[in-house]
Amino acid sequence: MIDVKDLHKSFGNNEVLCGITEHIDKGEKVVIIGPSGSGKSTFLRCLNMLETPTSGSILFKGTSLTDPKTDINMLRRKMGMVFQHFNLFNNLNIMDNMTLAPVSLKLMTKEQAQEEAVRLLKRVNLEDKAQAYPSQLSGGQKQRIAIVRALAMHPEVMLFDEPTSALDPEMVGEVLEVMKQLADEGMTMVVVTHEMGFAREVGSRVLFMDGGKIAEEGTPQEIFGHPKNLRTQDFLSKVL
Amino acid sequence: MEKIQHNFYQSFIEGGRWQMYLKGVGVTLEIAVFALIIGIVLGILVALVRTSSDQRRPGTHNAPLSVLNVICKIYVTVIRGTPVMVQLLIMYSVIFMQSRNSIGVAVLTFGINSGAYVSEIIRSGIMSVDPGQMEAARSLGLGYRQAMQHVVIPQAIKNILPALGNELITLLKDTSIVTVIGVRDLTKAAQLIQGKTYQALFPYFGIAAIYLVLVMIIAKLIGNLERRMRASDRR
C-alpha cells in the first residue's frame, strides 16, 4: 500500500533521514520505536508530505506522492493523521471540527456529515460533547476526537504521531483502547509511539529507528524478545 | 471668572462655533473610517501575499507570487520608513496636484499608510496561530486556501483584535495631520476659531477632550467585540 524508496530528508545541513526503504502492506499495524531525534516523526510526516522529502520516492497505492504533479490533497483524504498535540481546530466546536473537511470538500452534505459525526462520537463515548469547544475537553477526550475526526474522511491508512505522549498517564489508556479497536477492525496503521506495551500487543511489525535509519525490524516477539542490534538492545533495556 | 465665561462663550457658542467642531468631527471620522477600510483591504491582500509566499513548499517556484511578494515588501518598507505627513504632502502637492478633493486625497493617503501597518498586524496574527492547526487541516485533505479560510484566519483575527484596535485609534488621531493640506477636520476647526478669537485654551482643550471621547468609544466597542470572539475559549 505504501512503498518508500531510499527516502532522505535534511533540515539545512542536518540529515534527519538517511535512506529509508520500507514497504507497508494493507492491514499491517506498523509500530515505529526509537530514541528521540532518530527521525521517527519526520519519517511519519513524510508519508503524507507534511514534510517534503529531500530525495527518494514514496508511492501510495501506486501513485507517487513526491511527484510535483500529484494532487497531494486528494491523497491526504485517504491518509488520516493523529498528532501528538491533538490539533483540534480551536475556533470550531467538536461537531464542526468533525464535519469541516467532509463538507467543505463536498464529499457529504452537512446532514450526512453530522449523522456520521454523531455515529463516530458515540463510538468513543463522547456524543454529549458535540457542542463543546476543544478548550473545554481533557487531553484524552481531545485525542479521541482527533482520531474520529480523521476517521470521518474514511481513510485507508491512519498515521499516529506519538498520540499519547502529551497525555496525563491516566488518560493514555482510553486513547490506546480506541486505537486497539481500530486495529482489530483491520485498519492499516503506522504508529510512532513510546508505548512499548501497545507496540507488543497491537503491532504486526516493529521498526526500530536510530540515527535516521531503520536499524532493525521484525515482529514484536523478535524485537522485544531477541533484539539482534546492539542499539536496539541498549534502547529496550532503558525503556522496558 | 467672568473672563473665563466670556472665553468659553467665544470659543464654543458665539456665531454657532460649536457647529464647526461638529463638522470637524464628521470630517475626522469620515477620513478615519474610509482610510481604515482601504487599510484593511490592502493589509489583508499584502499579508496574504507575504505569508503564502513564506509558507510555500520548499523547492516549488511561482514567479507571479515572487514578484508580488517583492512589491509588497517594497510597499511596506517605503510606507513605514517615511513620515505620514511627508506622504500626505507628496500626494497632495505632487501626485494629485490637479485635484481639489483634499478629503479624498487624505483618505487615500491614510488608507495606503494604514495598509502597511495592518498587513504586518495580520501577518503576525497568522503566524501566531499554532502551525499544528494548518497541518491538521491539510492532513484532512483541505487545500491551503480552505485551511486559511476556515481555520487559520478566524483564529488570527481573534488574536490581532487588540492590535487592530490600536491601529484604528492611532489612525484616528493621526488624521489631525490633514490640516497641512487645508482639510477642515476637527483640529483645523480649533485652529480657525483660535485665529478669530485669539483664544487658544478652550478650543485646544476642547478638541483634546473630543478626541479622547472618540477613542474611548472605539476602545469600548473593540472590547465588546473581543469578548464575543473569545466565546470558544471558555473553560
Side-chain angles (χ1 to χ4, degrees), chain A:
Chain A
M1 186 176 224
I2 302 177
D3 241 318
V4 181
K5 278 207 191 76
D6 197 28
L7 186 68
H8 288 258
K9 172 70 187 176
S10 307
F11 293 104
N13 291 324
N14 180 17
E15 189 165 38
V16 182
L17 297 179
C18 326
I20 291 187
T21 300
E22 188 55 54
H23 180 82
I24 296 166
D25 274 322
K26 190 169 161 54
E28 267 196 303
K29 292 102 186 66
V30 177
V31 180
I32 305 172
I33 59 171
S36 52
S38 59
K40 320 181 285 291
S41 283
T42 307
F43 173 57
L44 191 77
R45 289 161 58 82
C46 281
L47 292 184
N48 70 351
M49 295 292 282
L50 283 182
E51 301 292 351
T52 312
T54 312
S55 69
S57 75
I58 305 169
L59 296 182
F60 176 65
K61 294 173 73 182
T63 317
S64 169
L65 292 175
T66 37
D67 184 345
K69 286 192 283 283
T70 305
D71 182 358
I72 189 69
N73 294 333
M74 292 303 287
L75 294 174
R76 280 181 180 148
R77 295 180 185 184
K78 294 288 148 212
M79 309 174 101
M81 177 132 184
V82 175
F83 299 84
Q84 181 177 358
H85 295 288
F86 332 125
N87 296 351
L88 294 183
F89 305 134
N90 295 324
N91 57 321
L92 302 176
N93 67 23
I94 300 309
M95 179 54 80
D96 292 339
N97 258 278
M98 303 208 31
T99 56
L100 174 65
V103 173
S104 51
L105 295 172
K106 301 197 168 58
L107 302 175
M108 293 182 200
T109 65
K110 190 154 190 184
E111 290 70 32
Q112 283 174 328
Q114 285 179 342
E115 225 170 90
E116 175 78 358
V118 169
R119 190 181 66 76
L120 286 164
L121 285 174
K122 275 191 184 141
R123 171 183 174 153
V124 291
N125 293 322
L126 289 170
E127 66 268 34
D128 54 328
K129 299 292 184 196
Q131 299 308 316
Y133 281 90
S135 59
Q136 296 167 301
L137 303 181
S138 73
Q141 290 171 332
K142 283 189 222 182
Q143 196 61 300
R144 277 142 69 198
I145 285 168
I147 294 172
V148 288
R149 177 179 70 179
L151 291 180
M153 292 295 292
H154 301 291
E156 292 172 29
V157 54
M158 286 285 285
L159 312 174
F160 292 85
D161 187 4
E162 303 199 22
T164 57
S165 299
L167 295 176
D168 289 341
E170 53 179 336
M171 291 167 182
V172 170
E174 61 193 57
V175 171
L176 291 181
E177 197 48 49
V178 174
M179 292 169 63
K180 271 178 210 162
Q181 254 183 43
L182 202 56
D184 290 341
E185 288 164 16
M187 176 64 77
T188 311
M189 292 163 68
V190 184
V191 186
V192 171
T193 188
H194 294 292
E195 292 293 325
M196 296 303 150
F198 177 85
R200 205 190 294 232
E201 193 182 332
V202 178
S204 55
R205 196 147 55 93
V206 177
L207 311 182
F208 174 76
M209 281 186 70
D210 185 44
K213 290 197 173 76
I214 296 175
E216 186 169 357
E217 65 175 290
T219 63
Q221 290 77 14
E222 287 167 353
I223 298 285
F224 292 108
H226 319 280
K228 296 185 192 73
N229 185 298
L230 274 177
R231 278 294 292 138
T232 318
Q233 291 169 3
D234 183 43
F235 175 75
L236 288 175
S237 72
K238 279 180 192 149
V239 298
L240 288 180

Side-chain angles (χ1 to χ4, degrees), chain B residues 71-93:
Chain B
I71 293 173
C72 290
K73 272 187 184 169
I74 293 172
Y75 162 67
V76 172
T77 307
V78 169
I79 295 299
R80 286 202 306 185
T82 53
V84 65
M85 183 156 158
V86 175
Q87 292 164 16
L88 189 64
L89 290 170
I90 290 175
M91 287 287 269
Y92 185 68
S93 327

Side-chain angles (χ1 to χ4, degrees), chain B residues 138-187:
Chain B
R138 298 305 301 274
S139 80
L140 289 166
L142 293 175
Y144 177 80
R145 266 191 53 185
Q146 286 170 310
M148 281 300 245
Q149 183 190 339
H150 296 295
V151 177
V152 176
I153 294 202
Q155 295 184 47
I157 288 176
K158 197 170 69 180
N159 292 346
I160 62 173
L161 263 184
L164 217 49
N166 214 9
E167 170 62 22
L168 174 56
I169 287 170
T170 308
L171 179 64
L172 180 87
K173 292 185 300 178
D174 280 356
T175 56
S176 61
I177 293 170
V178 298
T179 51
V180 302
I181 60 168
V183 174
R184 292 186 166 215
D185 75 326
L186 183 56
T187 304

Side-chain angles (χ1 to χ4, degrees), chain B residues 21 24-25 28 184-191 207 210-211 214:
Chain B
Y21 295 101
V25 170
T28 292
R184 292 186 166 215
D185 75 326
L186 183 56
T187 304
K188 191 75 185 176
Q191 285 180 341
I207 61 166
I210 295 172
Y211 278 115
L214 290 177

Side-chain angles (χ1 to χ4, degrees), chain B residues 9-43:
Chain B
Y9 176 77
Q10 270 200 321
S11 301
F12 292 115
I13 296 161
E14 194 183 54
R17 291 203 174 114
W18 55 273
Q19 288 174 334
M20 289 177 71
Y21 295 101
L22 213 58
K23 273 188 199 149
V25 170
V27 171
T28 292
L29 285 179
E30 185 189 342
I31 295 172
V33 167
F34 285 108
L36 184 78
I37 293 169
I38 295 177
I40 286 180
V41 171
L42 264 178

